[in-house]
Amino acid sequence: MLAALPTRRLHRLDGAAPIEQARGYRITDSRIGCGTCQGVCPQGVIEEGDPFCIQAEHCLHCGACYEACPVQAIERTGE
C-alpha cells in the first residue's frame, strides 16, 4: 500500500471548507528537457518525456531536482 502524500491545509478567506494541497515538486513549462533533474533524483522517479514528469507518490521530497535545475524549472508545491 502506498503512503499518502504529505499535505498542507489551506484555509479559505471566505470561510468555506479548507483545501488539502499535496506537498512536493512539479516541473514547469520553463523546462528545457536537459535531464539534469532525472540524473540527480536518488529515487529515480522522474520520467523522461515531453514534459518530464515527477512520480509524486514515490518522491522523497529531498529537493535534489529543485536545487540542480539549471533553469529553475522545478517548483515546490503545497508549501
Side-chain angles (χ1 to χ4, degrees), residues 3 5 8 10-12 15 25-26 31 38 46 50 54 56-57 65 67 74 76:
L5 294 175
R8 173 182 157 172
L10 301 176
H11 296 279
R12 297 173 48 144
Y25 295 89
R26 76 176 194 91
R31 69 196 180 277
Q38 188 179 34
I46 300 177
D50 188 23
I54 299 172
E57 65 274 11
C65 59
E67 296 294 327
I74 298 176
R76 293 179 183 164

Side-chain angles (χ1 to χ4, degrees), residues 5-42:
L5 294 175
T7 61
R8 173 182 157 172
R9 183 174 292 242
L10 301 176
H11 296 279
R12 297 173 48 144
L13 295 177
D14 61 5
I19 301 167
E20 295 291 331
Q21 183 178 16
R23 290 185 182 169
Y25 295 89
R26 76 176 194 91
I27 300 171
T28 69
D29 290 338
S30 301
R31 69 196 180 277
I32 58 173
C34 66
T36 300
C37 58
Q38 188 179 34
V40 299
C41 179

